[in-house]
Amino acid sequence: MKDLELRVFEMSGKKRLLEEEYTAEEENENLSEEEDNEELIKRRNNWKVKINALKQVPVHRYALIRDVIVASITVARKSHLNNVAAELKTALQMIRDHSGGEAKHAALKILDKYGGYEGDDDEDEDFDALAAVGGDAPNTNEEEDVVVATMLADEFNWVSGSIGGEGDVDGSEWSKAIKECKSVSRLAALIQSFLSKADECLENLKEDNDRLLHVLRSKTALKKHDSANSIWCNVEVTTQLVKAKVTDYPWWPAHRCIPLDSSVKDALEGSGYAIVASVGNENASLFLVSEKDIVDFSSEPEDDLSQYDESVVQGMEEAMGMAKNLWKARNRGVASPWRTKKRPSPRFSDDESAEEKKEE
């Protein structure tokens, strides 16, 4: 069962996506030379300021406790502290009607786990600001993104944890649940859940593969191909980062892919098309893109971002941040192509200097 689960996990591309996220997050943990270290540390400690302030909040103010934890989760995510965000989500589950004591206690334990907060505990806090994501405006709609949708027991959630998992439940917890099975009925529930998810996943891959084969078998279909439609085939995802342009989306970071299916590889030879795997795509999709719509990763092709939805632009920017961290992790010691170059001071000849002084 574990081998089957891992195979589907790899085929779907979700394993690659998870590895990319981990690599990018680890790189983000390192203080970048391009940022002010003091400012970066301050930004990454914003969640601690908020959680520490819970010490002053009475447990009956459960709504405020909830809002502060929600805001802390959001700022932790924005600083790519995904482990912190996940643990705070667990504390958030402990909110109960008319009581926030358990959630408050759990959140403060998480704060202690990550080194506590070294600020002044006696300061008067602006709780409206602390419950805001940016620290200067009340939080309004962030809770929808972070509130856990269920209060069901962890054991129940583990049943659906295969093939990458959902939310804070992943394949490792699913495997652990398999190993700890002590009844046939429990094992049957876990297997049935896996088969249901695997059938859906494999059916989607088959549809994407059929679409690719249909396009490659006809020059007319290839010319009419919409690059935004996902495709699938067995590929090697290389470490070569590029930017790719698919229909109705801005230039997006991606990896070039090498088809392992000889018929697909032969069909692509000389076709002017290539397969790419976009970075940060939650579906781990592959795309068939024209070579003219693929540029070097360090290039800055012109693109009017105002024509896209705000959510699309935000997704692209997050993907670019992840891709840059991947590039840095793979190119240790190489100067970043995004580093701002200082312009040299203008130098004038003696005649030019004298003329300039006259005009002054």
Side-chain angles (χ1 to χ4, degrees):
M1 281 297 295
K2 287 175 60 183
D3 290 342
L4 284 173
E5 195 268 348
L6 180 59
R7 177 59 180 148
V8 177
F9 189 36
E10 291 175 338
M11 288 175 62
S12 66
K14 291 183 179 179
K15 183 182 181 211
R16 168 185 59 80
L17 186 63
L18 193 62
E19 289 173 345
E20 286 180 359
E21 289 175 352
Y22 282 155
T23 303
E25 183 179 345
E26 286 178 3
E27 181 63 24
N28 202 66
E29 293 287 337
N30 301 322
L31 295 178
S32 170
E33 294 179 359
E34 298 173 23
E35 292 189 72
D36 181 349
N37 290 355
E38 184 177 343
E39 182 61 30
L40 180 59
I41 292 171
K42 180 181 177 182
R43 177 168 60 83
R44 292 170 63 82
N45 280 337
N46 279 345
W47 74 272
K48 290 188 173 184
V49 176
K50 296 176 184 295
I51 296 299
N52 185 71
L54 288 179
K55 294 176 181 178
Q56 302 181 35
V57 181
V59 296
H60 69 271
R61 296 197 63 185
Y62 62 92
L64 177 57
I65 293 172
R66 179 199 63 216
D67 290 346
V68 170
I69 295 177
V70 167
S72 301
I73 292 170
T74 304
V75 297
R77 280 179 170 177
K78 289 183 176 179
S79 295
H80 302 285
L81 301 174
N82 294 337
N83 290 338
V84 173
E87 292 182 43
L88 288 174
K89 281 180 69 175
T90 302
L92 188 64
Q93 292 184 48
M94 299 178 185
I95 293 288
R96 298 291 184 270
D97 286 344
H98 311 298
S99 177
E102 287 187 52
K104 171 183 173 179
H105 179 68
L108 290 173
K109 283 187 68 175
I110 294 168
L111 176 64
D112 290 339
K113 175 182 175 180
Y114 287 94
Y117 175 66
E118 298 179 358
D120 188 352
D121 290 340
D122 297 327
E123 294 176 354
D124 291 330
E125 301 289 358
D126 180 350
F127 290 107
D128 283 339
L130 289 167
V133 175
D136 55 6
N139 180 43
T140 54
N141 58 1
E142 294 292 337
E143 186 175 356
E144 294 178 5
D145 295 332
V146 293
V147 172
V148 178
T150 179
M151 291 296 194
L152 294 172
D154 288 341
E155 288 81 0
F156 186 90
N157 293 328
W158 290 344
V159 171
S160 63
S162 62
I163 316 179
E166 297 171 357
D168 296 324
V169 183
D170 60 27
S172 63
E173 291 172 322
W174 182 82
S175 296
K176 181 180 177 183
I178 286 279
K179 293 177 184 177
E180 294 177 353
C181 274
K182 295 180 180 179
S183 68
V184 174
S185 59
R186 181 182 176 92
L187 179 61
L190 287 163
I191 292 175
Q192 183 57 45
S193 174
F194 164 69
L195 291 176
S196 176
K197 294 182 70 175
D199 282 346
E200 181 182 356
C201 181
L202 293 175
E203 184 61 33
N204 289 336
L205 295 183
K206 183 179 182 303
E207 289 179 4
D208 288 349
N209 185 244
D210 290 344
R211 182 182 299 114
L212 173 63
L213 295 177
H214 169 71
V215 169
L216 293 180
R217 286 168 181 162
S218 166
K219 290 184 178 181
T220 302
L222 186 60
K223 288 181 180 179
K224 294 181 178 179
H225 170 64
D226 184 347
S227 59
N229 289 330
S230 61
I231 53 94
W232 184 86
C233 70
N234 192 15
V235 298
E236 175 192 346
V237 179
T238 72
T239 58
Q240 183 185 357
L241 281 163
V242 296
K243 287 179 183 173
K245 186 78 169 64
V246 302
T247 309
D248 297 328
Y249 281 85
W251 288 91
W252 205 282
H255 290 100
R256 278 189 178 272
C257 299
I258 300 174
L260 299 180
D261 184 329
S262 58
S263 61
V264 174
K265 188 173 183 179
D266 292 343
L268 284 177
E269 191 73 32
S271 69
Y273 283 78
I275 295 175
V276 299
S278 56
V279 174
N281 185 313
E282 61 182 10
N283 296 319
S285 301
L286 302 178
F287 298 94
L288 181 65
V289 182
S290 171
E291 286 284 4
K292 67 181 182 182
D293 291 326
I294 300 175
V295 297
D296 187 78
F297 183 57
S298 61
S299 299
E300 296 292 343
E302 292 185 8
D303 204 354
D304 180 11
L305 297 181
S306 65
Q307 64 184 301
Y308 307 108
D309 289 343
E310 184 178 348
S311 60
V312 172
V313 176
Q314 182 178 352
M316 180 272 293
E317 291 174 345
E318 290 176 356
M320 278 301 302
M322 181 185 297
K324 286 182 178 180
N325 281 341
L326 289 172
W327 187 95
K328 291 173 185 176
R330 296 166 182 169
N331 294 274
R332 301 288 186 193
V334 180
S336 168
W338 308 283
R339 181 174 297 170
T340 303
K341 296 179 180 179
K342 293 183 179 180
R343 293 182 179 179
S345 301
R347 296 182 179 180
F348 303 97
S349 66
D350 291 340
D351 292 341
E352 289 173 326
S353 299
E355 188 64 27
E356 185 176 350
K357 285 179 181 178
K358 267 187 193 178
E359 292 176 358
E360 291 177 355

